[in-house]
Amino acid sequence: QDNIAVKANAVCKLTYLQMLGYDISWAAFNIIEVMSASKFTFKRIGYLAASQCFHEGTDVIMLTTNQIRKDLSSPNQYDTGVALTGLSCFVTPDLARDLANDIMTLMSHTKPYIRKKAVLIMYKVFLKYPESLRPAFPRLKEKLEDPDPGVQSAAVNVICELARRNPKNYLSLAPLFFKLMTSSTNNWVLIKIIKLFGALTPLEPRLGKKLIEPLTNLIHRFLISLSSGMPNHSASIQLCVQKLRILIEDSDQNLKYLGLLAMSKILKTHPKSVQSHKDLILQCLDDKDESIRLRALDLLYGMVSKKNLMEIVKKLMIHVDKAEGTTYRDELLTKIIDICSQSNYQYITNFEWYISILVELTRLEGTRHGHLIAAQMLDVAIRVKAIRKFAVSQMAMLLDNAHLIASNTQRNGICEVLYAAAWICGEFSEHLEEANQTLEAMLRPKVTTLPGHIQAVYVQNMVKLYASILQQKEQSGEKEAAQEITQLMIERLPQFVQSADLEVQERASCILQLIKYIQKLQIKEVPVAEEVIALFAGELNPVAPKAQKKVPVPEGLDLDAWINEPPSDSESEDEKPKTIFHDEEQRHSRHRQPEIDEEELARRREARKQEQANNPFYIKSSPSPQKRYQDTPGVEHIPVVQIDLSVPLKVPGMPMSDQYVKLEEERRHKQKLEKDKKKKKQKKEKRGKHHRHNSLHTESEEDIAPAHHVDIITEEMPENALPSDEDDKDPNDPYKALDIDLDKPLADSEKLPVQRHRNVETLKSPDSEAPLVEKKSKKPKKKEKKHKEKERDKGKKKEKEKKVIEEEEEKKVILQDLHYVRNCCYGPYLLLCSSVTYDIQGNLQNDSQVTVSVIFENKSTSFLKSMELNVLDSLNTKMLRPEGSSVHDGIPVPFQLPPGISNEAQFVFTLQSIVMAQKLKGTLSFIVKNDEGSTHEKLDFKLHFSCASYLITTPCYSDAFAKLLESGDLHMSSIKVDGISISFQHLLAKICFHHHFSVVERVDSCASMYSRSIQGHHVCLLVKKGENSVSIDGKCNDSTLLSNLLDEMKETLSKC
Amino acid sequence: MWFCTDLLSFGWLWGQSGAVLGSGFSCDGSIGKSLSRRIHFILLFSRQGKLRLQKWYTTLPDKEKKKIIREIVQIILSRNQKTSSFVDWKDLKLVYKRYASLYFCCAIEDQDNELLTLEVVHRYVELLDRYFGNVCELDIIFNFEKAYFILDEFIIGGEVQETSKRSAVKAIEDSDMLQETVEEYMNKPAF
């Protein structure tokens, strides 16, 4: 396939096939070939194919870097355009890093067509390579005032997009945007800007006031799209809501949808004004379009209050019954639970009602959310103490009717609730009235058809039940009955012992033995109940998820210190498990065999109590009285015994939640009456239970006293919890990386890396190598010429780079990130001219790792493949190899090198000490393939880990710097270098660049600098320039590191 | 087979809500300059569920893509004509519109504006119409690469870059010119 036209055509066809769903990743290399065609026709197709099928995982993508750079700088604007477009689809972090500078240059291209594209691409680049944001931002800001409206709007687009994620960094742009907003006639730009302001206003309240005037002018037009950016202006909000109502009532589905959507946005800020339209929204629930129903549901979520919760949920329940699609029904179910449980059950005034709602929900067929219901049941039962009795009775009923729930294997989603039911019944078995019956229900053979984890819970909780029954019987002296129940257990348990589920089997056989033992004791007429019940002693306390975090670490407590010194190897083995055991004793005691005699148990419990009393972290089991839940006022209303057998299809014995609604109404009515009474007879105080509520709550009519006062948050927090509530951001948020303060001046370290892989250091001049080539190679002369030319080119480049450095210095911007050291390639294999350059960078995440990026460049005319890099590890520094490979194995380089191509691979090294410089010997082996065949070759090299490569450029502010110096625990050392002729600025640049320092402060010919090692050593320098000399005073935590660093510096400086 | 032969097919949206929306969103190309934010992907498929064009602005493995496409096509084809153009799908929203036998579907983020996305879709159809002249499904099948080029000219990295119909089509035509001359030059020796 020599003809590029044929190739391009084939790639074009492949693209079509790709769209039809075929995998064409094998053709990636051909696509690159077509991309690099000089003819626009083919290039275009190549880029199209690339943008369609390349992604971050495509390994050949690295090969395109140079091609893309070439196209970006092409004189033909369409070449550039097509490259930019393609790039937008497959930009990777590496590409972003390498090309950021080029794209930035394009942002001030003469053609608006290119500028526009470049600006938009920058957003992609920012996402992939956040470091580029700060250097590029000034130019981006410039583009806001670009003469071309397209470019302008592109810039607005990008900035809005950035600001949406991290608005506070963009506050300083507000005046500029304000100007744009008042002057622009372009509606689309206006929308963007107003959205941006919507994000900014919460941060700067003054802005809101200023915005009102222009906004009210625009409001009619932008109603829908803007409701997110609405200022706090109640009149306009009212207007909006009115308009939205018209929209929602409209027959057009799209408008209805949008109306609801906008409504939900207003709801967040002005719930009151939306709540009045409840009727309308409930009506939307009946809509036949699912999207609309879902939006309406969203709205309901925000609209509930204590007053209307029951009503809304009741309506939703009706919908649940009616709903046909399972997805929608599941959505309804989750919404009901969400609505009820939102902000810690804030709106639930009657938990009995809630439990019965949950129980009713279990009747849903084929829902996937059984576990959700189960979780809610558990949550409520554990956290709301007052409800336990009721919950237990309900759960017992559920267990009794388990056959209804679990009858169909297809509905196994719902059988999750049995998990909760079994646990609740077991754990709070003291509240159970007919424990015998429940136990029998749990022992039914049918249970074995349930999923394993549920059975396991069954088995465990059977014993709890059994224990409480046993105790009951023994206390009332019914020995016969006690033995009977033991017999029942022994008879039925074997069915679980045979279970295929490991957990069930293990628990069951363990418990079976236990009960057999109990039976023996029972026959001997020994009272056992006490001991059995002791297995499950102790109450479960709810603990808030953040409780541990909120406890301040008491002074003098070092959490990292060893509690016990780790046992030395010489000590006997059995010491260790013992200590662990002691710590966890209490937790284990539940599962332990009763062989432990009671005294021992009691003694331990006593010891633990004392321990707890002294332990500030332990949450005391007796919460302070005012936090206790109030007694249930409506206990007498609980219709536990109201068994509604006449209703078919319903689980018998379940009280309908509707009854609660009625009850609740009654209760409220009563409360109100009493309130009125109270007003009349103010002297009469605290007679009934209801009065207690009244005394606790304010008198406003709005407020409805809840049946159970639940103060979950305070209850579940340890007493000395700190009030600070730091909500941690999601560390995985890709946009977090873009949370960068843009108003700070550019720091030295943030300059975009200019492409400069070669010869930054002049350790060896290329000329000295050239003769070597001549000597050793037997290649035709032509090639040598070429090679020489290359070298000359490099020389030019070097000059250019020097210029760049000087320019940068003028801007006080110093390059540091890249520290490329030319590696000497010697030996007889230079004819391949496979040049290797590398760069060592500290790994920020790991204090004992550095990453070495090696750039391989194939200067020969042969194809290089199967490259493998191996390094002779030293004691201190080791190459990180994949698990299982020995120290003699090399690491394969993940690419092949066609002639003239360079590529980069990264290798990670672990090290222990960083105070000394290191040199590692290594070999690169590879296969050379050319026309004659292939040969195996080797290339030796040395990796030099200088101390400076362990430093990470860290900016430091002068006050922090001063504090550091004051602290006094730094070692000091100094050097002096004579014969320095370069300017001070240049000198600082050199130190920054080669040794990874940043300038803290500079006064005349004196400067302080700072850096930090990957292991956290602080290094401070004071650099003074005299006539012809430079003196450097250094301070560092580690004296060896400091002296090594200074030696390295001396070497660098003595060269200039 | 014809679609988008008259702009009125879209006019209903503005017509009915004109009182609320005002005239701000006129479809005149010279006014609209910058529209929506991030679009995750765009799919074009026929009423039979055949994919005609796909463009992804997020990177996903091929398998994942195929699964998503199958799922989405099914969701949208099963929807009634009279239902709204917006569907929640996972954590994204699908905005779709049917033109004749072809469905245009965009996936956008939760906070994005549906209306603007509809406008984007429509603008793309307008661009196609302008470029091909009375565009139909066959145009897109035979000149699928052109359809891609137009899309690239209009949306870049999920952001709208050019809203002026005139300049977008001009850019494409200019680059076509470039291509044509090169092609002629290429073809000459052959004849």
Side-chain angles (χ1 to χ4, degrees):
Chain A
Q1 293 152 3
D2 301 325
N3 193 346
I4 189 79
V6 176
K7 225 173 218 173
N9 200 5
V11 165
C12 187
K13 283 175 182 166
L14 278 177
T15 317
Y16 191 74
L17 288 177
Q18 193 262 351
M19 187 177 72
L20 295 181
Y22 297 94
D23 181 30
I24 60 158
S25 53
W26 50 269
F29 200 80
N30 306 73
I31 291 174
I32 292 183
E33 277 181 310
V34 177
M35 268 166 84
S36 51
S38 53
K39 310 251 177 349
F40 178 71
T41 322
F42 308 135
K43 191 186 286 298
R44 200 183 190 187
I45 289 168
Y47 271 104
L48 173 65
S51 66
Q52 286 300 99
C53 75
F54 282 10
H55 48 86
E56 276 183 41
T58 313
D59 39 7
V60 288
I61 218 163
M62 282 310 291
L63 301 179
T64 61
T65 315
N66 281 322
Q67 179 58 39
I68 294 174
R69 180 171 300 126
K70 215 175 90 196
D71 287 336
L72 286 183
S73 49
S74 155
N76 182 345
Q77 64 163 330
Y78 291 108
D79 276 354
T80 317
V82 96
L84 281 174
T85 316
L87 191 61
S88 74
C89 290
F90 55 79
V91 62
T92 64
D94 290 324
L95 278 180
R97 191 190 60 220
D98 294 341
L99 297 174
N101 206 42
D102 302 72
I103 299 174
M104 227 168 95
T105 327
L106 288 179
M107 277 165 73
S108 25
H109 198 269
T110 48
K111 299 234 168 57
Y113 177 78
I114 299 297
R115 283 208 300 272
K116 187 175 63 192
K117 284 191 185 217
V119 168
L120 283 170
I121 294 280
M122 264 336 251
Y123 177 63
K124 280 267 174 182
V125 174
F126 294 152
L127 281 183
K128 300 283 179 194
Y129 179 56
E131 288 86 343
S132 61
L133 177 56
R134 291 208 35 204
F137 195 71
R139 199 168 281 182
L140 193 58
K141 213 161 132 187
E142 245 166 59
K143 293 295 151 227
L144 281 178
E145 289 162 306
D146 198 275
D148 184 86
V151 182
Q152 200 182 19
S153 73
V156 170
N157 246 350
V158 172
I159 290 182
C160 284
E161 207 48 31
L162 290 168
R164 191 161 64 116
R165 316 291 179 177
N166 306 298
K168 70 174 183 307
N169 299 330
Y170 301 85
L171 261 182
S172 61
L173 290 179
L176 189 59
F177 276 113
F178 196 78
K179 204 179 88 196
L180 272 178
M181 183 171 83
T182 42
S183 61
S184 175
T185 51
N186 183 334
N187 288 326
W188 303 106
V189 172
L190 279 178
I191 291 174
K192 275 282 175 192
I193 294 173
I194 291 167
K195 274 193 172 169
L196 174 72
F197 277 128
L200 291 182
T201 33
L203 297 165
E204 177 60 276
R206 278 175 297 164
L207 211 55
K209 275 181 213 151
K210 240 183 153 187
L211 281 174
I212 286 174
E213 192 206 333
L215 269 190
T216 34
N217 298 333
L218 297 166
I219 220 150
H220 295 279
R221 277 194 274 170
F222 293 125
L223 193 69
I224 292 170
S225 56
L226 295 190
S227 35
S228 56
M230 213 72 82
N232 291 334
H233 195 269
S234 59
S236 53
I237 290 285
Q238 279 303 332
L239 183 74
C240 283
V241 177
Q242 288 306 323
K243 296 266 184 194
L244 285 177
R245 192 179 169 100
I246 300 172
L247 276 191
I248 295 172
E249 282 167 346
D250 199 285
S251 62
D252 182 77
Q253 297 287 337
N254 281 351
L255 287 186
K256 204 176 229 176
Y257 178 92
L258 292 169
L260 287 170
L261 196 73
M263 204 71 130
S264 68
K265 281 178 179 158
I266 294 180
L267 182 79
K268 279 175 203 146
T269 47
H270 298 80
K272 284 246 171 70
S273 45
V274 181
Q275 268 165 15
S276 53
H277 300 282
K278 198 179 70 194
D279 55 320
L280 188 68
I281 287 151
L282 284 174
Q283 205 181 305
C284 286
L285 279 180
D286 296 325
D287 199 283
K288 58 181 183 299
D289 187 348
E290 206 172 292
S291 305
I292 287 177
R293 286 192 305 234
L294 289 177
R295 284 289 86 76
L297 272 180
D298 283 347
L299 266 177
L300 278 181
Y301 178 80
M303 280 173 52
V304 289
S305 66
K306 284 180 183 170
K307 242 191 203 165
N308 60 15
L309 175 78
M310 285 190 174
E311 190 191 334
I312 288 179
V313 173
K314 189 179 152 195
K315 287 231 171 83
L316 287 180
M317 292 296 283
I318 297 170
H319 279 287
V320 171
D321 287 339
K322 278 197 297 191
E324 62 273 18
T326 44
T327 38
Y328 177 59
R329 202 160 45 182
D330 279 354
E331 187 62 32
L332 267 172
L333 195 153
T334 40
K335 266 281 137 46
I336 290 177
I337 288 176
D338 274 357
I339 286 174
C340 291
S341 62
Q342 66 176 312
S343 40
N344 265 318
Y345 308 104
Q346 188 189 347
Y347 299 117
I348 295 188
T349 51
N350 188 338
F351 276 96
E352 283 153 24
W353 164 80
Y354 186 45
I355 289 274
S356 47
I357 285 282
L358 287 176
V359 171
E360 266 177 60
L361 284 176
T362 61
R363 283 178 302 140
L364 272 186
E365 270 179 61
T367 176
R368 283 179 292 113
H369 293 296
H371 58 96
L372 207 68
I373 303 175
Q376 283 291 308
M377 284 173 171
L378 286 173
D379 201 34
V380 172
I382 295 169
R383 292 168 77 171
V384 188
K385 282 184 188 150
I387 199 69
R388 283 181 193 165
K389 191 174 165 58
F390 177 74
V392 165
S393 69
Q394 289 293 304
M395 293 305 125
M397 256 172 249
L398 261 186
L399 285 180
D400 236 7
N401 298 301
H403 56 281
L404 283 182
I405 289 165
S407 62
N408 191 338
T409 39
Q410 289 224 303
R411 295 147 109 196
N412 61 9
I414 203 69
C415 65
E416 289 285 334
V417 295
L418 291 176
Y419 176 97
W423 191 86
I424 291 171
C425 283
E427 184 65 27
F428 308 117
S429 50
E430 69 268 22
H431 298 298
L432 211 53
E433 277 169 13
E434 289 176 67
N436 263 340
Q437 201 188 334
T438 312
L439 184 63
E440 257 169 71
M442 285 170 85
L443 282 167
R444 275 184 207 136
K446 205 86 211 232
V447 172
T448 48
T449 56
L450 290 173
H453 65 286
I454 297 177
Q455 281 187 57
V457 170
Y458 261 68
V459 172
Q460 191 71 22
N461 285 288
M462 262 176 228
V463 194
K464 291 185 200 168
L465 264 180
Y466 168 72
S468 71
I469 296 173
L470 209 60
Q471 193 190 30
Q472 214 182 328
K473 301 282 182 205
E474 270 188 20
Q475 269 167 5
S476 56
E478 303 169 59
K479 277 180 194 150
E480 290 285 296
Q483 280 178 13
E484 236 168 67
I485 203 96
T486 314
Q487 190 56 40
L488 178 77
M489 288 289 276
I490 290 176
E491 268 169 31
R492 297 284 182 84
L493 268 175
Q495 65 186 353
F496 293 108
V497 177
Q498 291 154 7
S499 167
D501 192 276
L502 260 186
E503 181 74 17
V504 180
Q505 202 186 63
E506 195 177 350
R507 286 190 195 192
S509 51
C510 196
I511 284 160
L512 186 62
Q513 291 311 314
L514 175 73
I515 290 178
K516 278 183 181 160
Y517 181 74
I518 293 170
Q519 196 180 29
K520 263 192 231 162
L521 289 177
Q522 271 182 333
I523 293 169
K524 286 186 215 156
E525 308 233 320
V526 183
V528 281
E530 280 300 314
E531 275 174 60
V532 178
I533 206 100
L535 280 175
F536 306 109
E539 199 184 344
L540 206 64
N541 268 317
V543 177
K546 281 184 186 164
Q548 177 73 57
K549 247 199 263 169
K550 303 246 168 170
V551 181
V553 177
E555 264 180 65
L557 177 69
D558 183 5
L559 287 174
D560 296 329
W562 287 102
I563 295 173
N564 296 316
E565 280 304 313
S568 60
D569 294 340
S570 60
E571 268 179 314
S572 60
E573 281 288 289
D574 54 355
E575 282 286 312
K576 214 158 122 196
K578 214 172 179 182
T579 46
I580 295 169
F581 192 83
H582 187 72
D583 281 344
E584 297 181 341
E585 188 129 51
Q586 213 48 45
R587 242 175 288 154
H588 286 316
S589 68
R590 188 169 269 196
H591 309 284
R592 284 177 61 167
Q593 306 285 328
E595 273 89 346
I596 302 173
D597 66 309
E598 217 178 333
E599 266 180 43
E600 169 80 354
L601 263 180
R603 196 177 55 75
R604 285 188 183 159
R605 218 171 297 132
E606 200 52 47
R608 190 174 71 113
K609 261 183 204 157
Q610 273 205 328
E611 212 174 275
Q612 282 166 10
N614 298 329
N615 187 350
F617 293 108
Y618 192 80
I619 301 152
K620 307 275 191 312
S621 57
S622 58
S624 42
Q626 78 270 19
K627 286 179 193 161
R628 272 188 188 282
Y629 302 113
Q630 307 254 325
D631 290 339
T632 333
V635 179
E636 60 269 29
H637 298 314
I638 305 172
V640 183
V641 233
Q642 269 186 18
I643 297 174
D644 192 2
L645 283 167
S646 62
V647 184
L649 260 178
K650 285 192 177 141
V651 183
M654 286 184 182
M656 291 295 296
S657 55
D658 298 356
Q659 290 171 339
Y660 282 97
V661 180
K662 270 182 214 148
L663 282 171
E664 183 68 17
E665 273 160 16
E666 268 173 42
R667 193 174 68 84
R668 279 180 199 174
H669 186 63
K670 221 168 150 190
Q671 264 179 16
K672 213 173 168 186
L673 281 180
E674 274 173 28
K675 255 185 211 169
D676 293 346
K677 248 195 243 165
K678 205 180 165 196
K679 271 182 194 161
K680 281 174 196 163
K681 307 175 187 178
Q682 285 208 333
K683 278 182 188 172
K684 212 176 182 182
E685 270 182 9
K686 289 184 184 173
R687 197 200 45 179
K689 284 168 190 164
H690 298 294
H691 277 294
R692 255 174 47 209
H693 294 297
N694 293 340
S695 61
L696 268 175
H697 291 274
T698 47
E699 295 274 345
S700 79
E701 289 286 295
E702 284 280 299
D703 202 8
I704 299 154
H708 315 290
H709 183 63
V710 184
D711 191 359
I712 292 168
I713 298 175
T714 45
E715 166 112 353
E716 286 165 15
M717 283 299 175
E719 275 156 11
N720 48 355
L722 294 173
S724 75
D725 196 6
E726 252 180 55
D727 272 328
D728 9 15
K729 280 185 186 171
D730 180 12
N732 296 327
D733 185 4
Y735 300 105
K736 207 189 165 193
L738 289 180
D739 191 356
I740 297 166
D741 187 359
L742 293 158
D743 299 331
K744 271 196 289 180
L746 269 183
D748 315 331
S749 57
E750 286 171 335
K751 181 75 187 159
L752 282 181
V754 184
Q755 201 58 30
R756 50 168 72 210
H757 288 322
R758 285 167 288 263
N759 302 354
V760 174
E761 248 190 16
T762 46
L763 282 178
K764 276 210 172 163
S765 75
D767 307 328
S768 65
E769 274 176 30
L772 257 174
V773 177
E774 274 173 309
K775 237 188 271 170
K776 304 238 170 177
S777 75
K778 284 158 195 164
K779 279 188 281 181
K781 273 218 159 173
K782 222 178 166 185
K783 256 177 199 164
E784 274 169 25
K785 247 188 193 169
K786 247 190 186 168
H787 185 72
K788 267 189 184 168
E789 266 172 27
K790 251 188 202 167
E791 297 288 353
R792 221 177 297 142
D793 273 354
K794 270 196 213 157
K796 270 186 208 162
K797 253 186 207 160
K798 216 170 37 183
E799 269 177 35
K800 252 192 211 163
E801 277 163 7
K802 231 181 189 172
K803 249 188 206 167
V804 174
I805 289 180
E806 274 160 16
E807 275 171 25
E808 281 164 9
E809 278 160 7
E810 275 165 32
K811 289 184 223 154
K812 269 198 169 179
V813 173
I814 300 140
L815 257 168
Q816 295 181 327
D817 269 359
L818 297 177
H819 176 200
Y820 287 108
V821 184
R822 165 120 201 166
N823 203 1
C824 348
C825 317
Y826 38 79
Y829 302 109
L830 204 76
L831 78 159
L832 292 165
C833 302
S834 167
S835 158
V836 181
T837 53
Y838 69 93
D839 159 45
I840 302 172
Q841 267 179 356
N843 191 337
L844 276 173
Q845 280 83 41
N846 196 326
D847 59 6
S848 58
Q849 281 188 359
V850 288
T851 310
V852 179
S853 321
V854 185
I855 294 164
F856 301 91
E857 189 184 4
N858 183 0
K859 291 185 191 158
S860 71
T861 49
S862 322
F863 196 85
L864 300 189
K865 60 181 203 175
S866 310
M867 288 191 281
E868 240 187 41
L869 184 114
N870 195 13
V871 172
L872 215 59
D873 288 354
S874 72
L875 271 180
N876 187 28
T877 313
K878 292 182 171 62
M879 182 148 81
L880 203 68
R881 295 178 166 86
E883 248 173 81
S885 54
S886 84
V887 281
H888 305 295
D889 290 345
I891 293 189
V893 179
F895 48 77
Q896 305 178 338
L897 282 184
I901 300 275
S902 68
N903 202 348
E904 186 188 37
Q906 294 193 326
F907 302 90
V908 180
F909 286 78
T910 55
L911 20 94
Q912 283 168 357
S913 158
I914 59 158
V915 297
M916 303 269 275
Q918 281 264 322
K919 261 186 193 158
L920 290 189
K921 273 190 186 167
T923 0
L924 179 72
S925 59
F926 48 89
I927 292 172
V928 185
K929 206 176 157 190
N930 49 22
D931 299 344
E932 284 109 46
S934 53
T935 46
H936 201 271
E937 306 279 29
K938 259 168 70 180
L939 193 66
D940 289 322
F941 61 86
K942 266 184 194 167
L943 274 175
H944 181 73
F945 292 81
S946 64
C947 281
S949 59
Y950 303 133
L951 295 184
I952 297 171
T953 315
T954 324
C956 184
Y957 296 105
S958 49
D959 42 335
F961 188 74
K963 245 181 221 159
L964 196 65
L965 289 179
E966 270 167 23
S967 67
D969 43 18
L970 302 179
H971 301 273
M972 198 181 143
S973 176
S974 60
I975 51 161
K976 194 168 176 182
V977 186
D978 288 322
I980 303 267
S981 52
I982 57 170
S983 72
F984 189 55
Q985 211 158 41
H986 204 144
L987 184 96
L988 289 184
K990 263 200 160 18
I991 297 176
C992 285
F993 179 70
H994 293 305
H995 300 278
H996 300 195
F997 276 86
S998 62
V999 180
V1000 179
E1001 229 172 341
R1002 192 191 148 186
V1003 185
D1004 295 334
S1005 59
C1006 193
S1008 50
M1009 305 179 92
Y1010 175 80
S1011 184
R1012 222 170 66 101
S1013 79
I1014 53 170
Q1015 291 183 351
H1017 301 109
H1018 301 281
V1019 188
C1020 310
L1021 293 183
L1022 182 66
V1023 185
K1024 277 186 209 161
K1025 180 151 165 53
E1027 269 292 66
N1028 259 327
S1029 66
V1030 173
S1031 68
I1032 300 178
D1033 295 330
K1035 282 190 172 186
C1036 173
N1037 306 51
D1038 190 294
S1039 54
T1040 337
L1041 176 67
L1042 181 62
S1043 64
N1044 282 324
L1045 272 173
L1046 288 179
D1047 286 347
E1048 281 171 21
M1049 236 172 267
K1050 202 168 179 175
E1051 205 182 305
T1052 334
L1053 292 181
S1054 58
K1055 280 200 204 97
C1056 39
Chain B
M1 235 2 156
W2 301 99
F3 65 86
C4 191
T5 41
D6 60 21
L7 291 179
L8 284 177
S9 65
F10 195 62
W12 53 267
L13 185 60
W14 313 124
Q16 288 186 0
S17 56
V20 194
L21 293 164
S23 53
F25 286 80
S26 85
C27 290
D28 185 2
S30 59
I31 290 183
K33 280 296 176 197
S34 154
L35 322 164
S36 143
R37 37 173 74 125
R38 217 148 135 46
I39 297 169
H40 281 242
F41 53 84
I42 296 176
L43 301 177
L44 261 70
F45 51 90
S46 67
R47 209 162 46 167
Q48 289 78 35
K50 281 235 166 60
L51 202 62
R52 294 295 176 218
L53 184 143
Q54 54 168 330
K55 187 88 192 171
W56 298 78
Y57 299 108
T58 40
T59 43
L60 287 171
D62 276 348
K63 259 197 190 144
E64 190 77 6
K65 283 185 188 173
K66 263 187 235 172
K67 217 177 105 205
I68 290 173
I69 291 169
R70 220 178 307 128
E71 209 172 301
I72 286 178
V73 168
Q74 212 195 357
I75 289 175
I76 290 178
L77 288 182
S78 67
R79 280 175 68 86
N80 194 308
Q81 277 259 300
K82 276 185 188 157
T83 52
S84 65
S85 304
F86 319 111
V87 191
D88 281 347
W89 176 76
K90 297 196 177 158
D91 50 347
L92 299 177
K93 279 190 290 199
L94 302 177
V95 177
Y96 70 93
K97 180 117 182 73
R98 190 176 142 183
Y99 290 92
S101 61
L102 214 52
Y103 282 92
F104 290 68
C105 172
C106 280
I108 54 171
E109 265 168 41
D110 203 31
Q111 298 131 314
D112 288 332
N113 194 312
E114 297 84 350
L115 207 54
L116 284 181
T117 317
L118 263 188
E119 175 73 343
V120 168
V121 168
H122 185 65
R123 179 58 51 85
Y124 178 50
V125 176
E126 282 179 322
L127 284 173
L128 289 174
D129 194 45
R130 191 152 177 163
Y131 180 79
F132 290 111
N134 265 341
V135 64
C136 72
E137 199 181 328
L138 281 176
D139 281 325
I140 292 181
I141 297 170
F142 286 126
N143 294 306
F144 77 101
E145 80 275 14
K146 290 281 160 53
Y148 276 118
F149 293 146
I150 295 172
L151 187 61
D152 284 342
E153 210 52 54
F154 177 47
I155 295 169
I156 195 166
E159 298 274 353
V160 172
Q161 61 151 334
E162 182 58 74
T163 50
S164 154
K165 271 184 286 185
R166 208 179 314 122
S167 53
V169 171
K170 190 171 172 294
I172 292 289
E173 275 163 2
D174 281 357
S175 36
D176 279 349
M177 284 294 285
L178 201 67
Q179 179 168 338
E180 238 88 84
T181 49
V182 174
E183 250 163 28
E184 274 165 31
Y185 168 80
M186 285 268 306
N187 290 338
K188 255 174 202 164
F191 288 111

